[in-house]
Amino acid sequence: RNRASQLSAAREMPAVASTVAPILIFAVALFLVYQVNHHSQVHDLITAHEDTHKDIHFATGGREAQEAQPAVAQHLQSEPKADGAKIIETGSNAAATLTAAKPVDTCHAEPGAEYHGAVVQWGDKHTTETAGECCEACQKRAETEGCNVWVWCGAEFCGGGDVRRPRGECWLKKGDLSTLMDYGVGKGHTGITWISGLLYSEEQMQAYQLVKTKAEQAEVQRLHGLRERQDLPLVWMDVSLKGEPLGRMEFVLFTDTSPLAAENMRRMCSGEVSPKHTLAGAPFYRIIDQFIDQNGIPDGVSVAVGGTYKDDAAGLKLTHDRKGLLSMANSGPNTNGNHFSIMMGPAPHLNTHYTIFGEMVSGWNVAKEVNKLSQGRPNNELLNSKDAMIVAVGQLRAGTPVPPDVIAAGLVHF
C-alpha cells in the first residue's frame, strides 16, 4: 500500500510542479525587481547627499566639505583596535572584523597636526613619555581647568625655524569645540611633526554637528545674497598652478565700508587704468599654511587709485573671523597699496591693523590648492614662488561708483 501511494504521488508531481514553477519564477522576479529598485533608491540618496555637500563646499569651515568631512570622520571614528583585530576585504566590499571588543577612543589623536587654544599647561615645563599620557593629563584637568586639547611632540624635534621643541613636550590647551573642529581637526599634514588630540563627549559632538549643519545652510544663503548685491562690485581671478589652469575665484568688494581698498582692487581687476595696473601675471608670492595666500601688483607699478592711501576706518572695524575674506597688506597705518591677502581662516590678531575690503563668493577650492603649496616648507611658508599665479582678471559687475572726492581725500601725500 505504501509503495502504491508513493507511485501515485510520483505521477502527480509533474502536475504540481507545472503549477508551482510559474509561481516561484514570478516570486523570484518580484524579488529581483525589488533589489534593483532598492539599490537605485540607495544610489539616488547617496548621489543627492554628495550633491548637497558639493553645493555647500565653500560654506564649510576650514576645508571644502567633500574633502574635509571624510578627513574629520576618519579622526573622529578612529578607535584603537583591540589585540587580534583583523581586517578582511572581499572584492569591492570591505568589512572590519574584530576578534575582541574595540575600546572607545577618547583621545582622538591626529598625527601631523597642531591644534591651537588658550594654554592650560606650557609644554616646556611638562613632558610625557607617550601621546596617551599627554591625553590623560588633559583629561585629568578637563573639569577643573577646561582642558580639551592636547599637543604632544613625538619626533626628535617639533616646530620650525629658530624654535625647536624637544621630544616629549606635552601642551595642554582649551578652546571652542566648533572652532577646533572647523579649523583644526583634519588639517594635519606631513609638514607638521606634532600629534594633537581633541576631547569631547558624544553629546557635545551631536550638538556640534546639528549647529554646523544649520550654519552651513545659513552660510550658503548669506554668500548667495552677497553675490547678488547689485551695489557692490563683483570681480574674478583665474589662477594657474605650475603652469596649468587651476580655476576661477570670484569676490564681492566692500565699497560701502572700505571704498579706497575696494575701489583699488576693482581697478586692478577691470584693467581700466592701464595694462600694467592689473593683477594678470601676478604670483602668490607669500603663502602660509592655513593662514594666507598673498598677492599684488609687483613693486614699481603705481597704485591703481593714484597713490598710497589711508586705512578705511570702517574696514578696520571688520573682524578677521572667517575664511575667504580679502585683507589689505601694509607696512603700518595708512600705507595701503596694491598688495592683499586671501584669508584661509580666522586671524583675530590682525583685527584693527589690516583693512578688510571684500569676500570670496566662489572658488574656495582654488585658494585651498594654492595654500597647499606651503605645506612641508620651512615654517610651512612659501616665499617668492611663481608656482601659483593669477593669469587673468575681470569685472562682472561695477557696483555703485565710489565718488572721486572720497578717493582724493583718502590719498596719502608724502
Side-chain angles (χ1 to χ4, degrees), residues 121-151:
Q121 173 65 63
W122 294 81
D124 56 353
K125 297 179 177 63
H126 182 227
T127 61
T128 62
E129 290 295 323
T130 66
E133 291 176 359
C134 185
C135 169
E136 185 178 354
C138 186
Q139 291 172 334
K140 290 179 178 179
R141 301 171 71 164
E143 290 188 8
T144 57
E145 300 176 68
C147 184
N148 63 344
V149 176
W150 57 271
V151 182

Side-chain angles (χ1 to χ4, degrees), residues 277-293:
H277 291 84
T278 74
L279 290 167
F284 286 92
Y285 59 84
R286 187 181 183 215
I287 305 170
I288 302 178
D289 182 41
Q290 300 179 44
F291 179 39
I292 58 171
D293 293 345

Side-chain angles (χ1 to χ4, degrees), residues 106-122:
T106 57
C107 293
H108 308 107
E110 180 181 0
E114 183 181 5
Y115 299 166
H116 299 289
V119 176
V120 173
Q121 173 65 63
W122 294 81

Side-chain angles (χ1 to χ4, degrees), residues 34-147:
Y34 167 79
Q35 291 287 0
V36 170
N37 288 338
H38 178 68
H39 175 78
S40 176
Q41 292 171 0
V42 171
H43 177 269
D44 290 344
L45 287 173
I46 294 174
T47 302
H49 177 71
E50 292 174 347
D51 290 342
T52 299
H53 274 293
K54 291 177 181 178
D55 290 341
I56 65 173
H57 75 275
F58 177 76
T60 306
R63 288 197 168 188
E64 187 176 1
Q66 58 263 43
E67 295 186 8
Q69 296 299 335
V72 171
Q74 174 184 353
H75 297 300
L76 296 186
Q77 297 173 2
S78 62
E79 299 178 357
K81 296 183 178 63
D83 293 339
K86 297 180 181 179
I87 300 294
I88 302 175
E89 294 190 5
T90 305
S92 60
N93 297 321
T97 303
L98 300 181
T99 57
K102 293 192 299 182
V104 176
D105 175 20
T106 57
C107 293
H108 308 107
E110 180 181 0
E114 183 181 5
Y115 299 166
H116 299 289
V119 176
V120 173
Q121 173 65 63
W122 294 81
D124 56 353
K125 297 179 177 63
H126 182 227
T127 61
T128 62
E129 290 295 323
T130 66
E133 291 176 359
C134 185
C135 169
E136 185 178 354
C138 186
Q139 291 172 334
K140 290 179 178 179
R141 301 171 71 164
E143 290 188 8
T144 57
E145 300 176 68
C147 184

Side-chain angles (χ1 to χ4, degrees), residues 221-240:
Q221 296 301 318
R222 185 187 71 81
L223 291 173
H224 176 74
L226 179 61
R227 191 183 189 282
E228 297 304 308
R229 280 192 56 176
Q230 299 302 304
D231 60 316
L232 300 180
L234 177 63
V235 299
W236 56 266
M237 304 174 191
D238 285 343
V239 178
S240 68

